[in-house]
Amino acid sequence: MSKIANSIFTPETATRFDHLVTLYPVKRSALVPMLLYAQDEVGYVSDAVVTEIAQRLDLLELDVRNVLSYYSMLRTKPAGKYNVQVCTNISCMLRGGYEILDHCKHKLGIGHKEVTADKLFSLEEVECIGACCWAPVMQVNYDFHDNLTPAKVDDILETYRAGKGKDVK
Amino acid sequence: MPTLVSHPDEVKVISRRFGQGAADIDKYLELDGYKAIQKAIAEGPDWVINTMKASGLRGRGGAGFPTGMKWSFVPKQSEKPKYVLVNGDESEPGTCKDHVIFLHDPHAVIEGTMIAGLAIGAKMGFIYLRGEYRYLLKIVEKAVADAYSRGFLGKNIFGSGVDFDIVTQSGAGAYEVGEESALMESLEGKRGVPRIKPPFPAVVGLYGGPTVINNAETIASAPHILLMGGEAYAKIGSERNGGTRLFGISGHVERPGVYELPMGYNLKKAIYDVAGGVKDGKKLKAVVPGGSSCPVLLPEEIDVGLDFDQMGKAGTMLGSGGIVVLDETVSIVEFALRTIAFYQHESCGWCIPCREGTDWIKKTLTRVYNGGGSKKDVANVQYLAENMMGRTFCPLGDAAAMPTLGFVKKFRKEFEDYIEGHKAGTPIITVEQLVGAH
């Protein structure tokens, strides 16, 4: 059972968070992963997420917001169900990362950090995601797709649209 | 899923178990897994540190500091608990070697962490993976859980009377956190900005306790070194650069991938023989030899050994081992702009030279790229980069300045030609795209 009476998280996540704080010498250490896992469940770091996490870690909401604003993977606005992140950093750029990004923009009809009208997809241009030798690369909700071509991107997006994509969380 | 590559010139030490399903604990045990930690327990901490010193292993994160020496700096007596922190926040563009280790041999990282812990007398280790590596974090988390279930981690490991715990930790997207003191801040739940040094982490680190921080590849090398012996490992590499290392060769090559080569292996051979040469038979234009922060090399400069000392003599760095190959079609103006755009985005903003410098260089190069530059801009960019060098708390300022200086010095004519000829030119990519990342 969660120590917080009115948790906004599912019982599984609440239990996980209860466990997480016990792992470290200092409770606050759980902050960064907690924000990330909360975002995975809620879709973004909402005000309610900030409030509850601050409570769980005995921090000021300001402390939480200070950390929240630092990390690029944390967002304060909802993304699509499937967040498509295309890398355009040097190795990907050399092998067509920008073409892949343009193709995604065209295919999804949205730009950087935008969400499709059906809220199924969002798109982000991101800095290096550490898969340089298999460039160009994109991630859909933490699932890597490498050696991309526009045709391959079409297939991948279609798989997710059909609800058959691997949703790594 | 990353594809594994191989080449006859490879010397497989750390990649020995790749592709054999060693993420499974039974398979790992079958392939000599957890033998090194048992040997370490039997022989004791001094033996471990001496073996590491004899191996000549130098930190694989980029700085190249001798690992055995680093471990020996931790005070034997300490009132506060000691810690081991594994840096798996691999974010240097061009580098993807730790990705492969976590994927194929997560137990080697765990065993290495235990060995480091034993060597310094720590009872707790943290393995910090960048947030983007979620699928890899799951693999490492499962490996840790499996190690606990076998009694390898926790109380009284291998009947030694020693307790050791490992906690896996996730980042949330910040290149700066790859710097060791920023990594500690992030692990303590704060913004990942660097700390002032001294005190060094070996004395005052995580939660104020003495801490050893090693790159994931460094840590994963430890079990192999203990099993094969320090001298045998040292013999594989070149002088003062023991062993092998994982090199990620990316960009315009026929067979990009992560290859394990002996230290001191010739860079030209790595590109032409190992990675199959420049893609589609094009001409080589430049090589960024060790991740995006390393100064660029011209084709006539690549006949050099891949180790910390030889690369230093060649005016560049071995860095994190990410070799990026550029063919003749690449515009250095565009490439330099994309590189500095990354550092500008990732600067934590704490020190002024880095915060302002990266921003001004990016703005200037953006103007040049869009056709509005003047010849003075090249000198300005050089001036800005020179004034960032050595003036920041952490190496990010240098990491941004060094490649920039390399580009403007070695390709000055290309910048000037671009400025002269491209006043009304159409950019290949738009500035909105470049500045839009994140």
Side-chain angles (χ1 to χ4, degrees), chain A residues 24 29 66 70 95 112 169, chain B residues 138 169 191-192 207 251 436:
Chain A
Y24 302 92
S29 278
N66 262 331
Y70 184 75
R95 292 182 87 96
H112 172 61
K169 268 192 182 168
Chain B
K138 290 198 150 192
Q169 165 84 355
R191 292 168 77 91
Y207 312 110

Side-chain angles (χ1 to χ4, degrees), chain B residues 157-217:
Chain B
I157 55 165
F158 297 101
S160 63
V162 176
D163 303 339
F164 198 76
D165 287 293
I166 288 183
V167 173
T168 47
Q169 165 84 355
S170 169
Y175 168 74
E176 176 56 23
V177 168
E179 195 276 333
E180 58 178 15
S181 63
L183 182 68
M184 296 191 295
E185 289 287 296
S186 180
L187 200 139
E188 289 180 10
K190 300 172 213 155
R191 292 168 77 91
V193 295
R195 295 179 184 171
I196 295 171
K197 290 188 224 179
F200 291 95
V203 185
V204 182
L206 265 177
Y207 312 110
T211 305
V212 147
I213 305 174
N214 279 128
N215 172 257
E217 186 187 352

